[in-house]
Amino acid sequence: MSDQLEQQQQQQQQQQPNDQADVAQDVVQVNGEEQVEDQPEAVPLPPVTIRFPSPTCSRTVPKPKESSESRDQLTIYPQPSETMQDIKLLINDWVGAYWLGPYSLRLPFVKGDDGRGKVFTKKEDLSEIRAGEKLNEWLEVQDAFAHLEEDSERVLEVVREPYGEFTARQSVLRLLELIAPTGSTANTTATHISLQPGSTIFESVRDGVLSSSGETQYEEVEVSLPSGRKGKAGKKELVKVKRAISSDKSHAFSDWKGSEGWTPTSLGELPFSQSPLEVSPCLRSIQISPFNPPPPHLRQLGHQLYLQVALLEGETVTVICTTRGWFVSKSNVNQFDPSPKSDNNGVAPQPTHSLIDLLHSLSPLFSERLSKLTPLSTEPPSLDPISTVAIPQAEPAYPWLANIPKPATSAEILRTQLAFLHTGAYGADSVDAARDWNEEIQGIRELPRGSMQERVFREKMLQKVWSEFDQASIRAVQTVSRGDIPAINPSEDPKAHMYLQSNIFITQGDSDALNAYGHLGGDAAMRISHGKDAAGVKLLNKLDVDGLYMLGHTIVDWQGKRWICQSILPGIFSNRKKDDDEEEAAATEEGEGQKEKKEDWVKVGDSPTKSADKSTEVEESQDAEGESENPMMIYGIDSEKPTSIHWDKTTHKFMSTIGQAQKLAAHKIKDGKGQEFEFYASSEVKGLKGTDGRRYLLDAQRLSPVDIEWLEKDCETEGARYPHRLTMLRPELLETFWESELKRWARGVAEKAKSKQDEAEKSKEAGPSTTEGEKKEGETSEEPSTPKEDQSPAAEAAAAHRAEEEKPVDASVIGDIKQFELKFNPDAFVDQIPLKDAPTSDDKPFLPSTITDEADPSIKAVRDASVFLRSIAIPAVVLDVLTGNTSGLMDGASLTKHLHGRGINMRYLGHLANTIKQFSAGPEGEERKETGHLAALKAIVFQEMIFRASKHILRSLISSLQPETVSCAISHFLNCLLGSSYNSSPSATFNPIGISEREEQPEYTKLTPESLRKSIIDEIKLRFRFTLDETHFDESLKKRQLLRELAVRFGIQLAQRDYIFDQDQETSATDDEKEAKSSKDKKNKKSKVPVQKRVHTFEAEDVLTLVPVVKSTAPTVTVAEEILEAGRNTINRGSIDLGLEFMLEGLQLYENIYSVIHPEVASVYNQYSQAIHQLARLKIQQVAAQAAANPEGASDPEQPLGLDISTALRLQRQAIIVAERTLGVYHHETAGYYFNLAMLENLEGNPQQALRYFRHVLKLWDVIHGPNHPEINTVLSNAGVVLQAINETSLALVLQKQAYESTLSLFGDSHIQTGQALHQLTQSHFLAGDMAAALSTSEKALDIFNARLGEDHSQTQEVKKNVELLRAVIDNVEKQKERNEQMKKDQQERLKAAKERIQLTGGGVKGRRLGSTLSNAGSSGSGVRIVDPATLAAAAAAAGHPIDANGQPAAAAAAGVEGQGQVAEGSNIGTRGTESVEELVRFIQGQQQPGASAARRGKNALRGKRRTGAKR
């Protein structure tokens, strides 16, 4: 599709709500191109100097290294829009001000006329900016200095403020941040919902401290232990310190053993986290004193807080905070005395304003150890701060294998006092009311968004409050699930109980106790409905329509149950109908003048119905039915009364915006009285008006139409009914189908225009023939680019459809794209709720839809989209995998994400498996076994079906169990699923709680491996319409990978150890244990405990805990996405520098909105680094092409590329740390980030680092997928190329051979992938000096390329040239051997002739060796004849050192020049093409030093690494 057509398509898509559609105010169309609108640039302010007070203790602020450096003032360069609060955050992290207590920022005092500070500025809100008075924390810097000239000095003074209880508590929290940083050994106050949250191992991988087995290596080092005595250094002694050392002395692949060395990584040795930061404690302990709270009479004297501190010197003091500061009292642990403690001179000191300053004066050891921490330490931190700081706005990743902490917990009384430090509540009566989540969320929505700055601030606040709501929801669900909160409707069915905790409304999401979903499938339909509802809320949050509001909404899956958490809709718990009616009547009596202000009561003109309004409709239905309705409902069908429809003009206007964005058609729905109402979304999407006057949308699950093809063809097959009828089409599919139909429409319009043009030009015969000839020529030119594999009819059909869609269209003949219209009716084919008296049956508990007339285009579009999903979308996925256009499919999670992105629901896994089978068939449709990418995809699909079936079964088994019984149930389930080969008859463990004698055995105790397999097969057939062969469990089930999927996606943390899945594994594990025991030190003999052999693979104690799985409704950020997309488009148009600048700006917005540690930020980091890498490769190819076309005028290949690769490397490293901490150490996206980093490191010239990352990527593939995946061969091949660059040719050959052998086994001997592997192997053989093997592999590759790509393809020509060159080299080597043989023969003949001549001229030398004769030829002894020059020349030639007749040495290469000329003429294989054949032979035979060969191979080798110009 041409650019013009795409621009018209974008223009139609941009008709969306204010500021939401695409690049709203900030990205505009200029001359048909997308550009970022220039924002008014903020004029930078002159520097601002901040002056600080001096601390009491001299040790508080360390002395600067340079005398010119000042600690009492700081110069900053703020932005005009920065606030005083931003400056205070900067001050708190500065080494000269970290110690400050509460303070304010003020302008220097200048006395005014009224005796107070001079008034500099009066603002519109009547506030004043006075000299010497406290500045508002939200005051912007530019406003604070608006009264000064540009060249005037700008000064802010830090002024101490008096303490209150809040600031006293904040001072304690600030102290804890300094002395117990997050992620350090000193931090003992953290309480997490699971073990080892947010861990990372990147720095261990980067530094090579992980061995190939995954264990961290340590060494003993000398360290200085502080003595505590002032002015004296500590005594040095040899101690064991956990300092990791690199075990890879040469490179990461030094111990690689090829395909034989590929062994699964031991689960017990998998690294999941690195050692925490070792921090020496600065205090023995710190806690809130038990003397708190201050009594009233002392509070009147200014007492705020009492703190008990145990110093390292051994003294325990009680510190009192008053309004003026802190002082040490005479109190001890048992007795309270508030009077100040006297110093050594008997004088009671004045309070010290800063708590940190006071501790410095009390404890020298506190000062000494605090100086080694941030921000005082001058040494760089041993760990990147991004890997240790707390994760602010994202859910941390919890490892699926974890070690039980020893001891399980530590004594820390402050841990129980953190609630007081944060809230100040001493008792239940003083606890503040919980946060009003709904008011917070909706208040932030109503913030202005007119400028870029306002949009960024608004989205930042929204993301923050959504994240905090998710965290509060998790805590609330755990509290409710444990039974700590009573239900607000205790008299109803327990499955229908509702709860209220922390102003969060909590309900069960998988129990249809009220039979609201009975017609759709009951509990199963309810669970799916809530999932679709959350997806709809997320979509509506993304659209962000002004005037429509969504509740805070989060789904938490925990311990087999689904919980729905929502913010409270204002008025939902009160019946305000009577009051509303009275208000409405009063408003009606007031007159018509105020009707415009009260949109809710305006009668709808030209609406689908002539009924008065909502209130009238409610009143009429009440009179008719005699039943009460929800008085808050203003729009949509009432679920409790399906015949009642509410309608509101203003809400309908808002819904039209959503309908336009989602391509939903306006359609009419009749109520029970036959009146028609118009809707855009489904009529089941409800609008409610809260008592706050806002309009809220609920039940957003039907924003998309139903999948009618599934309902009609797959919902009931072979007597098996699908669990529910709530089968919807995904929004991504509707978008894909809409684009496909747009292209089809454009082709139709273009063809009609072309046919009219042809009819008008029938008289010109050359026109059609020329066009046809051009078409044929184009087809032949495109043909070699597509591999000619023996494809199945299904694959051929999918490829033909793809080619048809991608045909270019002349956009000039299309006209206005707005003529194309395709919209969907979301109410089409929707099953209706039966009336109470309506007859229904178990087979059909629903009423058939009345909206089925496919003569309506919007209804026909629903059918067509459903057909498109089956016939086009699914085959397109398989086609992309078959052709290698899709990568990164490692496990079920990556497959799910990919399919959802393509608009395919996971219920189509069975159809996907059948499509793979069809694509694997032969050209005539004959059945063949899947190979290559399709075999890998099939294995992942099968594994995903087994996982999903297992998940449903496990959830049903544990949903009603007590937490302590859940561990027994999960372990028995895993034994039946994964451990049956080790123990074919596992026994279940059940320990009754003992509360009742009639306590029944739970369902899981009846589970056996046979019954579980049957249940899984039945579940797969039921949910995916696919019959799985039972032999798959024994032959193809990847148990380690399935265990990881179950643990990660179900939320299970298991104990880390080697789980034995079969008897063979137990034998090998026993041997390894014996070997390990024999290598241990004898000192550990006393601590050895005999390990009992396990009866089962899993025991109950292996299940450590269950982790909540959260589904958030927070959308992605639109403002940052717009800038990032503008950057990509700018790069695609050729403006690389400007595009990269836009991408960096968008990246900074992501960081600002999300904070750095967020998976979305990691994804953007990766996108930017990928863009740099692709641009670098493109530039390298351009330089190579230029050098090939014009060798003389080519640029220097060693020149820099002009790209900031160092920034890309830094961001990619950060992306990995963030991904490991938020997604998981063993996550498919983390693996992709590591691979990209390895490629970037190699590009920058860091081969050692690249090899470390490649080795780790292989480990990730082993854990996530296992062996035998085509992309593993890509990793091996790239690692081999890096090894070639560092002259590890033999090891590179091992890797390339392994990659080739794996490719051969996966794809066969005639696949294009095998040809590529052979092409790479040719290079390795050549560099290793094995010319015969290089020629053999190159000839095999040539045969494959000729067959698959054709002779004219560029890659075929390249391989053909290599074959010719290698043949020339080998032929010349053979010819040279023949010449050498002939030369030896000639030399022997000349030697014989020389001997004969010597014998004839003088027999005195007869019987002597030639050597001795020649050695004595120059002696002056008598009787010795001097040999003539001719004889000497003959003898020298026979000895292999020819000289001429004058006795001078002949040219060393004279004998080989003539024969080498022909080789040099056509050879370009490294520098060997210009050397003599003798030197080439010595090189091949290994007689030349490798350094010389590497130096001479250079840039002209068959394949080599290019430098980027960066420093090595």
Side-chain angles (χ1 to χ4, degrees), residues 156-217:
L156 287 175
E157 293 182 346
V158 171
V159 179
R160 298 183 175 103
E161 293 289 333
Y163 274 93
E165 185 189 286
F166 174 77
T167 51
R169 290 187 280 108
Q170 291 298 312
S171 296
V172 178
L173 292 173
R174 170 61 176 165
L175 173 64
L176 292 178
E177 288 180 6
L178 289 174
I179 66 176
T182 306
S184 67
T185 55
N187 190 333
T188 57
T189 59
T191 55
H192 303 290
I193 62 174
S194 196
L195 301 174
Q196 300 175 9
S199 55
T200 175
I201 62 171
F202 169 75
E203 287 166 303
S204 299
V205 176
R206 178 198 63 194
D207 300 334
V209 300
L210 291 178
S211 64
S212 58
S213 62
E215 293 181 342
T216 307
Q217 307 296 320

Side-chain angles (χ1 to χ4, degrees), residues 714-723 1018 1021-1023 1025:
D714 291 313
C715 201
E716 293 189 18
T717 57
E718 300 178 6
R721 180 184 298 175
Y722 193 67
D1018 293 343
K1021 186 174 183 180
L1022 178 68
R1023 293 184 177 272
R1025 301 310 184 200

Side-chain angles (χ1 to χ4, degrees), residues 1326 1331 1364-1374 1463 1467 1469 1477 1480 1484:
F1326 171 80
M1331 296 298 170
E1364 293 173 351
L1365 294 176
L1366 288 168
R1367 284 175 177 168
V1369 170
I1370 293 177
D1371 290 344
N1372 285 315
V1373 169
E1374 294 296 330
V1463 183
S1467 176
I1469 304 176
V1477 177
L1480 186 60
I1484 294 173

Side-chain angles (χ1 to χ4, degrees), residues 1235-1303:
F1235 181 79
N1236 294 336
L1237 177 60
M1239 300 297 287
L1240 271 174
E1241 293 281 8
N1242 185 42
L1243 182 68
E1244 182 70 348
N1246 303 324
Q1248 298 289 348
Q1249 289 297 111
L1251 290 174
R1252 286 175 182 171
Y1253 299 138
F1254 278 133
R1255 185 69 184 266
H1256 188 65
V1257 169
L1258 291 174
K1259 179 185 291 184
L1260 293 176
W1261 269 100
D1262 176 49
V1263 174
I1264 299 173
H1265 178 273
N1268 301 325
H1269 193 286
E1271 292 186 38
I1272 296 177
N1273 304 332
T1274 305
V1275 181
L1276 291 171
S1277 180
N1278 280 284
V1281 172
V1282 178
L1283 287 170
Q1284 290 171 2
I1286 60 174
N1287 298 323
E1288 290 281 355
T1289 54
S1290 58
L1291 188 54
L1293 181 59
V1294 172
L1295 287 174
Q1296 296 292 3
K1297 279 184 177 180
Q1298 183 177 351
Y1300 164 67
E1301 292 168 358
S1302 177
T1303 305

Side-chain angles (χ1 to χ4, degrees), residues 496-499 505-509 530 562-566:
H497 280 175
M498 298 177 288
Y499 304 88
F505 186 55
I506 303 172
T507 56
Q508 297 185 48
H530 283 298
R562 169 161 288 185
W563 300 91
I564 312 303
C565 305
Q566 294 174 309

Side-chain angles (χ1 to χ4, degrees), residues 140-168:
E140 293 185 354
V141 177
Q142 58 186 358
D143 295 334
F145 298 106
H147 61 284
L148 296 179
E149 301 293 336
E150 291 186 4
D151 55 348
S152 301
E153 183 184 13
R154 285 161 167 75
V155 178
L156 287 175
E157 293 182 346
V158 171
V159 179
R160 298 183 175 103
E161 293 289 333
Y163 274 93
E165 185 189 286
F166 174 77
T167 51

